[in-house]
Amino acid sequence: MLRRKYRLMWEPTNTPEADRVRKLHQLLERGLAPYPNRVQRTHSTAEARSAFEAEENENRETPEPVEVTVCGRIVRQNLKGKVYFAHIEDGDGRIQLFVRIDNVGDDTFAMIKNELDLGDFIQAGGTMMRTRTGEVSVMVHDLILLSKALSPLPIIKEQTTGDGEVKRFGAFSDVEERYRQRYADLAVNAESRHIFRQRARTVSALRSFLDNEGFLEVETPILQPIYGGAAARPFITHHNQLHQDLYLRISFELYLKRLLVGMYDAVYEIGRDFRNEGVSYKHNPEFTQLEFYKAYTDYFGIMNLTERMLAYAAQQVTGSTTIVFGEHTLDLTPPWQRITLRDAIRQYSGIDYIDYPEADALHRVMQEAGVETPKGATWGRLVDTLLGTVVEPRLIQPAFILEYPRDISPFAKTVPGDETHVERFEIFVGGMEMGNAFTELNDPVDQEARFIEMERLYSDEDDEATPIDEDYLHAMRYGMPPCGGCGIGVDRVVMLLTNRSTIREILLFPHLRER
RNA sequence: GGGCGUGUAGCUCAAUGGUAGAGCAGUGGCCUUUUAAGCCAUUGGUUGGGGGUUCGAGUCCCUCCACGCUCACCA
């Protein structure tokens, strides 16, 4: 019966796999379950170690025996005739098993010798001890297989030198394979596992910061009948029964601000945005966004909150507000540098865009300065190009860039007495844009005019046109409190705090082309 | 989409246009405190796919695929 159940549909593709399949059949013939249902773990590897060390410290003279049953994946093994050493690893760490044929009996030892491979999960019961060299180990008297690994994992060997430095041999380092088979990367590369723990801590730090500031966490639609809140091409999908096209959201902005109309004073959402655009070291088609909106404040209030929030996250994740990113040391301790976009561009390029109020003139002076310009760009787009090419790469230490051209910011209030600029800032750290914030526009008449303006500006590039969201205008006509809001690219923050130069390293399953 | 680069055994990597190799993993031995264990023997390849040049191609050329870096795009 067992044999029939294990008739393989899958063909081993190489000798190591064929060997393991043979061992699977050998186990079945001996009546041993290769994937049993029940486990009886009493200690994680770390708990077993600390229980033993505690006993050693308490009863130095006559320590009581410490009995444990530990489980884990075999990551190193060494069969020496009638003795078998193995390191097993679980989520906590590793521990060595010391198995003598006298302690486990001939049958179990034969199983170890003939059927056990690196990568298998096993359960081992025994007594804690130290080997001759002092390594804390389990002297095993019971050992069973928990899960047979049919494909070999990449083997990584490590040597700890005298100064505690770990040398690695045969590391699984092929970048593409690490992304395509993230499970294998995580299984063998502890530092990859570490990155995603750091990622979780980052998200949880942002969340707890905002919770403590009185923000309410909300969830708004991912499938939207009208997309908006940013300028990006959307992914389009379809609801069959409603016969309706839907868009995967490109931002949360318009839904969160509806909630301020609904009398929540402060809301935030952490979730996925989708943009149908290019992939790069800092772009993935789906990415994690944090947006938060607060009533009765403006973009200065949001600035203060944001720098405190990111400093808090850095402290929680790395233990310091000073972090290493590539070749730079970044100090996230508030307050951060604040400089207007106009001054920043003037400082880094010598161009004062106020002197060139027409797109043609600005275009010309940019060409003279050797800045490549996008075709048919509006004046605002040109200013933004200057920001991206001239300023952004130089903004290593955290900085707020303030006051943006009005025509590229349809959801922000204008600067009093300056119709060409809006109260908007972007956050730059490590040469990357981290976030974008405004004193939010709450004037429904102005907002409608902006929508129409945007529609006109982009009508000839239909895939970037921003559709008018009538329902959003309707909400705003009920009255929206004055407010400030901000969007933070969570993936980029994680890149900073984990010191990774590409977004793919901090996404568990980054987008890759189909093979 | 453009430019540059990479792709060889399960993993990490070698190989002037001239017989495709090593270490680890695997397989068969020896070994009752090893830890990159060791020793002896040994299996393993459509050199990313396809086409071309050549007496002969992993190597040179063309093309396709994937990945990396970079530029463009991403208000």
Side-chain angles (χ1 to χ4, degrees), chain A residues 182 196 199 284 286 491 503-510:
Chain A
R182 184 64 91 181
F196 295 102
R199 183 183 174 110
N284 195 64
E286 53 180 295
D491 306 285
I503 197 169
R504 291 182 162 188
E505 286 291 342
I506 55 95
L507 296 171
L508 277 169
F509 300 101

Side-chain angles (χ1 to χ4, degrees), chain A residues 358-369:
Chain A
E358 301 299 327
D360 288 350
L362 185 57
H363 186 268
R364 209 173 312 120
V365 74
M366 283 170 69
Q367 296 267 297
E368 283 164 16

Side-chain angles (χ1 to χ4, degrees), chain A residues 143-348:
Chain A
L143 189 149
I144 61 168
L145 179 64
L146 293 180
S147 177
K148 181 73 197 157
L150 296 182
S151 295
L153 280 168
I155 307 303
I156 298 184
K157 297 220 166 190
E158 294 177 346
Q159 183 183 32
T160 312
T161 57
D163 11 329
E165 202 174 308
V166 178
K167 277 191 189 172
R168 315 193 88 206
F169 304 85
F172 180 46
S173 57
D174 183 287
V175 175
E176 181 180 353
E177 288 308 318
R178 283 183 47 238
Y179 297 156
R180 286 198 191 275
Q181 303 189 52
R182 184 64 91 181
Y183 34 86
D185 176 41
L186 294 167
V188 301
N189 290 322
E191 59 278 25
S192 290
R193 280 199 299 263
H194 179 67
I195 288 173
F196 295 102
R197 291 215 169 84
Q198 299 284 73
R199 183 183 174 110
R201 288 165 71 179
T202 304
V203 172
S204 124
L206 296 172
R207 183 172 273 129
S208 67
F209 179 88
L210 290 168
D211 289 343
N212 288 333
E213 292 283 328
F215 281 78
L216 178 74
E217 181 171 12
V218 297
E219 293 176 279
T220 63
I222 291 174
L223 295 175
Q224 302 180 346
I226 297 178
Y227 63 95
R233 273 174 277 180
F235 287 95
I236 304 171
T237 186
H238 186 77
H239 191 291
N240 290 338
Q241 201 174 7
L242 298 178
H243 305 297
Q244 179 186 17
D245 278 343
L246 291 167
Y247 302 93
L248 273 62
R249 66 181 173 192
I250 58 172
S251 88
F252 323 154
E253 171 139 1
L254 301 183
Y255 280 93
L256 292 181
K257 286 199 293 201
R258 282 172 168 93
L259 297 177
L260 298 190
V261 172
M263 295 303 281
Y264 292 113
D265 281 352
V267 295
Y268 74 97
E269 178 166 4
I270 297 175
R272 214 62 72 82
D273 268 347
F274 306 85
R275 297 190 181 174
N276 206 338
E277 288 163 357
V279 176
S280 81
Y281 74 94
K282 53 182 180 179
H283 295 90
N284 195 64
E286 53 180 295
F287 62 99
T288 300
Q289 181 89 272
L290 161 63
E291 288 192 30
F292 57 94
Y293 293 85
K294 187 175 183 184
Y296 316 118
T297 188
D298 54 25
Y299 79 147
F300 291 111
I302 298 296
M303 251 179 265
N304 296 339
L305 188 74
T306 304
E307 62 190 0
R308 280 196 295 124
M309 179 173 72
L310 293 180
Y312 175 80
Q315 181 72 44
Q316 293 299 303
V317 173
T318 70
S320 168
T321 55
T322 303
I323 61 172
V324 173
F325 186 65
E327 56 192 1
H328 304 289
T329 300
L330 308 178
D331 186 0
L332 301 185
T333 315
W336 298 352
Q337 184 195 0
R338 298 180 182 192
I339 178 173
T340 64
L341 178 55
R342 181 184 167 198
D343 286 345
I345 290 176
R346 202 158 43 179
Q347 182 180 329
Y348 289 111

Side-chain angles (χ1 to χ4, degrees), chain A residues 418-469:
Chain A
D418 179 1
E419 279 299 308
T420 60
H421 287 88
V422 294
E423 293 197 348
R424 170 181 176 184
F425 71 82
E426 289 188 316
I427 305 156
F428 293 91
V429 191
M432 280 190 298
E433 182 194 336
M434 291 286 141
N436 183 19
F438 324 122
T439 300
E440 302 292 341
L441 184 57
N442 65 341
D443 173 344
V445 178
D446 193 359
Q447 183 67 74
E448 185 165 15
R450 302 283 195 98
F451 268 130
I452 290 166
E453 201 178 310
M454 292 310 290
E455 200 170 49
R456 197 172 56 238
L457 279 175
Y458 291 97
S459 57
D460 45 352
E461 310 168 45
D462 45 321
D463 53 350
E464 282 188 17
T466 311
I468 297 180
D469 190 334

